[in-house]
Amino acid sequence: MRLSFIISLLVAAASAQQQQPNPNRAISIPETGANLPTQSIGPNDLIAVSVYDAPELSRTIRVGADGFIRLPMLKQRIKADGLYPSDLETAIAEALRKEEYYVDPFVTVTIAEYHSRPISVSGAVKLPLEFQAASPTTLLEAISRAGGLNDSAGPEILVSQTQPGPDGTPISHIRHIPVRGLINDADADLNFKLTGGERILVPEAAKIYVLGNVKKPSAYKVQDGSEISIMQILALSEGLAPFAGKVAYIYRPDGAGSRIEISVPLAKIMDRKAPDVPLLANDIFYVPDNKGKRIGMSALDKIAPFGAAIGAALVYTHP
C-alpha cells in the first residue's frame, strides 16, 4: 500500500511538471532567424508568433507591405512596422485581451527573416550585391561583402540614406565618404553602422580617353587632385604610332551635354617649341593621322568608353 502511494505521488508530480507553460514549444524557428532586439520590424519581414496553449494562433506571418499583420480569429489588424519584437508581443497580447479570447495570454515574437532592411552595393566593386541587414553592419563590412573596390574605383563612396524628417516624412540624403580616409586612414567616424535601407555606390574614377594614332589607345584613370598633361598621357600611351599627324584634338565636355573641340600643336609640343597642355577629367584626346582624317564628335563620344578596344583599330586607319 505504501509503495503504491509513493508511485502515485511521483506520477502526479511528473504530470504537474509537464503542464507548466513552455513558451518555446509552439513553433521552431530557424537559427538564421534569431531575435534581434536592436532591430525594429518592417514591411515584408517574416516573424514567428507563439501564443502559449493556442496552436491555432502560433505561426509564422509575413508583415504586409503596409506594415500590418493579421492573426486568425482577431478582428483587428495589428501594426508591426517600427516595433521591436517585445513591443509587438505586448500589442498582440493586448488585442487578445481586448477581444476577450484570453485573460492573460503569453506571447512571444521572433524574427525569422528580415526583408525590410536591404543594403545594396553597386558601382566599382568586384561583386555588386544586395543583402539584408539582419544585424548592424559597418560600411567597410558591406564593401567587403561586395568583394572590395575594383581598380576603376574613384576617390569617394556615396551612401544614400533615408531618415524621417521633422514631420515624419522620409528624407533622403547622400553622404560623401573619401576612400582614402575610410580605408587608408581607417577613420572610425567614416566607418559608420548601416541598419538597412542604405544604397552604396562606388563611382568609377574620372578618366582621360586617348584614341587615334598612339601605340596604346585606352582610358587612363585620373588620380584625385592630380593633373596630367599631353606629354604625360603620351608616355602612358607608349608614344605616337606611325603616321601620327602634327595637330591633335581635345574634345572637352562643355557642361551642356556636348563637347568643344580644342586643337593643339602636337608636333611643336613634342619638339618643346610650344608649352605642354594639361588635360582634364573626361577629356577625349585624339591624334589623327598625318593626312588629317578626323572622327566626328558624336562618334568619339560613343567609342570613348571602349578606347582600349576600338581605339586600337583606329591607329592605322587612313583614308
Side-chain angles (χ1 to χ4, degrees):
M1 178 71 71
R2 181 175 299 177
L3 180 59
S4 61
F5 177 73
I6 293 174
I7 293 175
S8 299
L9 287 177
L10 291 174
V11 171
S15 177
Q17 185 176 5
Q18 291 176 354
Q19 294 176 5
Q20 293 298 316
N22 180 7
N24 298 319
R25 72 163 182 84
I27 46 178
S28 60
I29 305 301
E31 291 183 4
T32 55
N35 199 7
L36 302 170
T38 57
Q39 301 285 86
S40 58
I41 299 168
N44 301 315
D45 286 345
L46 185 66
I47 62 173
V49 177
S50 171
V51 182
Y52 173 71
D53 207 24
E56 70 279 8
L57 296 177
S58 300
R59 60 189 60 208
T60 55
I61 303 171
R62 179 77 65 185
V63 180
D66 58 359
F68 283 80
I69 63 170
R70 181 181 293 279
L71 288 173
M73 299 171 57
L74 286 178
K75 297 178 181 179
Q76 65 174 353
R77 296 191 306 154
I78 300 172
K79 183 178 180 180
D81 184 23
L83 299 181
Y84 290 103
S86 59
D87 298 326
L88 185 56
E89 290 171 354
T90 302
I92 293 173
E94 179 61 29
L96 291 171
R97 281 193 293 268
K98 185 176 180 180
E99 296 192 19
E100 299 181 350
Y101 283 109
Y102 293 91
V103 176
D104 189 19
F106 186 87
V107 181
T108 59
V109 172
T110 305
I111 303 296
E113 296 174 357
Y114 276 118
H115 286 274
S116 63
R117 299 182 173 277
I119 295 176
S120 66
V121 188
S122 60
V125 292
K126 295 177 181 177
L127 298 169
L129 82 164
E130 180 177 294
F131 64 94
Q132 292 291 323
S135 60
T137 304
T138 65
L139 178 57
L140 272 178
E141 289 170 345
I143 293 173
S144 295
R145 285 196 180 202
L149 306 181
N150 63 29
D151 293 338
S152 66
E156 68 177 6
I157 299 168
L158 307 181
V159 182
S160 174
Q161 296 176 303
T162 302
Q163 296 179 345
D167 60 350
T169 303
I171 298 177
S172 296
H173 70 282
I174 298 176
R175 296 184 63 172
H176 295 253
I177 307 299
V179 171
R180 180 172 298 178
L182 176 66
I183 297 177
N184 296 354
D185 300 338
D187 189 335
D189 292 334
L190 299 177
N191 190 29
F192 54 91
K193 290 190 179 296
L194 311 171
T195 57
E198 291 87 359
R199 288 174 294 174
I200 302 168
L201 173 64
V202 184
E204 292 191 354
K207 295 180 177 66
I208 293 174
Y209 300 94
V210 184
L211 306 176
N213 284 261
V214 294
K215 292 180 180 177
K216 190 179 178 181
S218 189
Y220 295 93
K221 184 176 176 180
V222 179
Q223 298 296 330
D224 184 27
S226 63
E227 186 178 279
I228 190 166
S229 69
I230 286 178
M231 291 295 288
Q232 290 172 321
I233 206 71
L234 285 176
L236 292 172
S237 305
E238 299 181 2
L240 296 174
F243 311 111
K246 294 183 178 181
V247 177
Y249 298 90
I250 299 171
Y251 297 93
R252 180 165 294 164
D254 62 0
S258 186
R259 290 182 182 270
I260 56 174
E261 181 183 86
I262 305 169
S263 63
V264 292
L266 180 59
K268 291 183 178 180
I269 293 174
M270 298 284 291
D271 293 338
R272 301 293 195 273
K273 293 180 180 180
D276 201 356
V277 177
L279 297 168
L280 304 181
N282 300 314
D283 277 354
I284 298 174
F285 179 61
Y286 176 64
V287 181
D289 59 30
N290 56 11
K291 294 184 180 181
K293 182 179 180 181
R294 290 153 62 186
I295 304 176
M297 281 190 280
S298 60
L300 283 172
D301 270 324
K302 292 178 181 178
I303 67 176
F306 309 99
I310 301 178
L314 300 175
V315 174
Y316 299 107
T317 301
H318 306 288

